[in-house]
Amino acid sequence: MKITFRTPRTLRTFRTLPWLLLAAIILWGIHLLPGVETPFSRLGRRVSKAFVPQQTIWTDTPIVESIRSMQQFVTASYYEELPIVSTKDRQWPIPDDDLVIIYNVTIEAGFDLSHLTNADVTIQGDSAISVRLPAPAILTRRCNPSDKTVFHDSNRWSQADLDKMHQQALDQVEHHALRDGLMTDAIANGCGCITRLLCSFGFEQKHVVVYVSTP
């Protein structure tokens, strides 16, 4: 009588497993070779397109021109009501003559983006971009004739005296604005606005760097 011994299925599986692993390693190595098109590479691209969100960047957008077109870009403002007193000394017993004007002054700071050049914008690959903004500056100092209140007005003050008081109000409010961090606010707001603009072009925020050049 002939007796046949069969190898258990589990043992046959263990004997086949190393060959399967070796075949997988060889196929993966071929897949990694540059310029080699394999079913694995095609399948990988399909899976990537199906499950990984694709980033679309408007490569035809003139980024530098878009930013430069903002020109005088106001990013922070400061407002203050400031009284200025001018005194005319007079001979005793005639009392001195005072003129008090309360000025409503607005100081605006930001960036002059008209000077932005191609060298200030760097694009790395297809997703990263950095923009170097010029140093911020005071763009406007505004106090309209209607934005003031006059007390004890008389005809003893010339136009030159009034112009001097007006200039004094602008200078003092600008000093107070700089003291209270107007430029810090201008930089933070400006970098944030330009970052959002670049994100609207298709760049991801984590790949956008906007900074200010040191004077």
Side-chain angles (χ1 to χ4, degrees), residues 107-110 136-141 174 177-178 182-183:
I107 307 294
E108 295 179 333
I138 299 294
L139 298 181
T140 58
R141 307 194 311 173
E174 178 180 334
L178 296 176
L182 178 65
M183 288 305 178

Side-chain angles (χ1 to χ4, degrees), residues 38-81:
T38 67
F40 288 97
S41 60
R42 290 193 294 268
L43 179 61
R45 285 195 299 269
R46 293 175 182 173
V47 172
S48 177
K49 291 181 180 180
F51 295 99
V52 179
Q54 300 298 308
Q55 183 182 23
T56 302
I57 297 177
W58 299 354
T59 56
D60 58 341
T61 300
I63 296 176
V64 176
E65 289 298 331
S66 298
I67 300 176
R68 189 189 293 135
S69 64
M70 297 180 182
Q71 297 185 359
Q72 301 289 313
F73 183 38
V74 176
T75 58
S77 62
Y78 182 93
Y79 173 82
E80 182 177 351
E81 296 181 3

Side-chain angles (χ1 to χ4, degrees), residues 127-130 194-195 198-199 203-210:
S127 60
I129 184 171
S130 64
I194 299 300
T195 298
L198 295 174
C199 290
F203 293 95
E204 292 186 13
Q205 184 171 352
K206 62 182 179 181
H207 295 150
V208 174
V209 176
V210 180

